[in-house]
């Protein structure tokens, strides 16, 4: 009898709790729209994924009153904004917000790999043209780093940092003899990394692991957005104070960002996840629905329920 009473009380508590959460969320409230700025590769991938590419670099096409935040800013804002909507990298998703299904598919690594989750993007790299390094040592360390990206050692680091690695070709030990520069003392050499801030955490982890394997060169990171990945390695700022040896872009390179032969590649896949407050009753959105939110056609949440 006591067990039956305990089960009944537990069910009652859960029922009251559920009602409280539902009651706390008012679907008639206006949607608060969060986005990244126009230099962001995440924004470009997101807008491309919802068939709203024109808005990737044009704030004028977005709903009135939208808010611009960086990846961390959107995540922390949605944690407290019951009526907000934003988008982040899958690698940044945590249990403090709700990650929505996209077209009925959960945002998971498995669904990115099996190609059922549509809102995904490549993580790419670009290095300086091979004849445009200050010296052979900087060039050879950079090429060794690129080779490291394609090893199982590099793939493990990428996976541990939340992205989806590509297939690897052996270990670093298998190929290190092909890069004799790494057997030298490179502690006086600085290699500069930049571009996408979405890839910054992965790039930091990769260079932290690789520098001791390649003569203790000094990795220097300055990640200011995907647009600077090409610009500061082979583009208009390649010879300026902000030049880089390696740039990253969390989106496909544009037609205007075609580098010299053998200097560009992909290091991983990532998913972009639409996030809302945990009390939000919406669980799934289509590309068309998201587009209408960001365009201002849907202004309140009850238009989505």
């Amino acid at each position: 009898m006591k067990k039956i009473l305990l089960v009944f009380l537990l069910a009652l508590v859960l029922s009251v709790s559920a009602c409280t959460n539902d009651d706390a969320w008012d679907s008639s409230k206006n949607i608060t729209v969060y986005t990244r700025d126009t230099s962001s590769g995440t924004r470009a991938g997101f807008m491309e994924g919802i068939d709203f590419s024109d808005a990737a670099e044009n704030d004028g096409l977005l709903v009135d009153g939208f808010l611009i935040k960086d990846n961390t800013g959107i995540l922390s804002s949605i944690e407290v904004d019951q009526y907000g909507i934003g988008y982040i990298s899958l690698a940044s998703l945590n249990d403090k917000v709700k990650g929505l299904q996209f077209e009925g598919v959960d945002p998971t690594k498995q669904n990115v790999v099996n190609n059922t989750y549509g809102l995904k993007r490549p993580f790419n790299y670009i290095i300086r043209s091979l004849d445009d390094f200050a010296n052979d040592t900087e060039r050879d360390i950079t090429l060794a780093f690129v080779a490291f990206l394609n090893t199982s050692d590099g793939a493990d680091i990428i996976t541990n940092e939340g992205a989806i690695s590509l297939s690897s070709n052996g270990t670093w030990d298998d190929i290190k003899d092909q890069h004799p520069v790494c057997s030298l003392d490179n502690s006086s050499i600085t290699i500069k990394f930049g571009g996408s801030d979405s890839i910054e955490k992965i790039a930091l982890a990769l260079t932290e692991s690789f520098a001791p394997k390649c003569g203790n060169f000094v990795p220097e990171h300055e990640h200011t957005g995907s647009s600077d990945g090409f610009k500061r390695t082979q583009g208009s700022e390649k010879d300026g104070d902000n030049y880089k040896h390696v740039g990253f872009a969390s989106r496909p390179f544009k037609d205007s960002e075609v580098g010299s032969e053998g200097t560009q590649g992909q290091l991983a896949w990532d998913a972009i996840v639409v996030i809302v407050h945990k009390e939000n009753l919406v669980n799934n959105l289509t590309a068309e629905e998201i587009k209408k939110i960001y365009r201002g056609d849907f202004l309140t949440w009850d238009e989505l329920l």
Side-chain angles (χ1 to χ4, degrees):
M1 184 63 183
K2 287 182 178 179
K3 288 184 178 178
I4 295 175
L5 182 59
L6 182 60
V7 171
F8 174 76
L9 289 174
L10 180 59
L12 180 62
V13 169
L14 291 175
S15 175
V16 170
S17 175
C19 289
T20 300
N21 287 338
D22 288 353
D23 292 344
W25 193 75
D26 183 354
S27 63
S28 69
K29 296 288 188 181
N30 285 336
I31 302 170
T32 311
V33 172
Y34 293 87
T35 185
R36 301 288 303 277
D37 64 47
T38 54
S39 69
S40 166
T42 308
R43 172 165 167 164
F46 171 74
M47 295 301 178
E48 176 76 22
I50 63 171
D51 192 26
F52 198 18
S53 299
D54 290 346
E57 297 183 0
N58 187 350
D59 287 340
L61 298 178
L62 300 182
V63 59
D64 291 340
F66 67 88
L67 298 172
I68 291 179
K69 302 275 187 179
D70 60 18
N71 203 55
T72 303
I74 289 179
L75 190 61
S76 58
S77 296
I78 297 296
E79 286 179 25
V80 297
D81 186 345
Q82 289 183 304
Y83 305 101
I85 186 169
Y87 53 89
I88 58 172
S89 166
L90 175 61
S92 301
L93 183 63
N94 62 35
D95 60 4
K96 295 180 181 178
V97 299
K98 180 193 282 189
L100 299 184
Q101 291 181 333
F102 179 73
E103 302 281 1
V105 179
D106 289 323
T108 65
K109 291 182 181 178
Q110 181 180 7
N111 287 337
V112 172
V113 172
N114 66 27
N115 211 30
T116 57
Y117 185 77
L119 199 51
K120 67 177 188 179
R121 58 173 170 172
F123 278 174
N124 291 322
Y125 68 84
I126 182 169
I127 64 175
R128 299 183 71 83
S129 295
L130 300 185
D131 60 355
D132 196 28
F133 282 82
N135 53 64
D136 291 349
T137 303
E138 292 182 9
R139 180 199 62 203
D140 292 348
I141 292 174
T142 301
L143 289 174
F145 174 76
V146 170
F148 179 73
L149 295 179
N150 295 313
T151 66
S152 57
D153 308 69
D156 287 345
I157 294 168
I158 290 169
T159 300
N160 289 339
E161 295 302 323
I164 299 134
S165 61
L166 308 179
S167 58
S168 57
N169 299 314
T171 69
W172 172 248
D173 282 344
D174 293 333
I175 65 169
K176 64 182 181 183
D177 289 345
Q178 301 172 27
H179 301 278
V181 68
C182 291
S183 64
L184 305 176
D185 177 5
N186 296 315
S187 57
S188 64
I189 305 296
T190 297
I191 302 297
K192 299 186 176 188
F193 300 81
S196 168
D197 57 342
S198 294
I199 305 178
E200 180 175 8
K201 186 174 68 168
I202 297 171
L204 284 166
L206 286 166
T207 57
E208 181 181 10
S209 173
F210 184 62
K213 301 179 190 298
C214 197
N216 292 306
F217 73 88
V218 180
E220 180 180 291
H221 289 265
E222 183 191 29
H223 294 260
T224 51
S226 293
S227 295
D228 289 331
F230 174 82
K231 192 185 302 179
R232 295 182 176 181
T233 53
Q234 297 193 40
S236 59
E237 297 182 13
K238 72 181 185 65
D239 297 320
D241 293 339
N242 294 318
Y243 80 90
K244 300 289 180 279
H245 297 93
V246 182
F248 297 99
S250 54
R251 54 161 171 72
F253 287 110
K254 302 175 183 177
D255 292 342
S256 59
E257 297 174 331
V258 177
S260 57
E261 185 176 357
T263 59
Q264 291 171 285
Q266 183 179 351
L267 68 150
W269 282 105
D270 182 46
I272 300 173
V273 184
V274 176
I275 59 171
V276 296
H277 192 272
K278 291 194 72 172
E279 292 186 354
N280 194 316
L281 299 184
V282 173
N283 295 309
N284 171 66
L285 288 175
T286 65
E288 183 64 19
E289 289 170 332
I290 301 169
K291 180 179 178 179
K292 288 183 175 179
I293 291 173
Y294 274 80
R295 197 169 59 189
D297 299 335
F298 289 153
L299 297 176
T300 61
W301 282 106
D302 53 15
E303 295 176 86
L304 280 303
L305 295 172

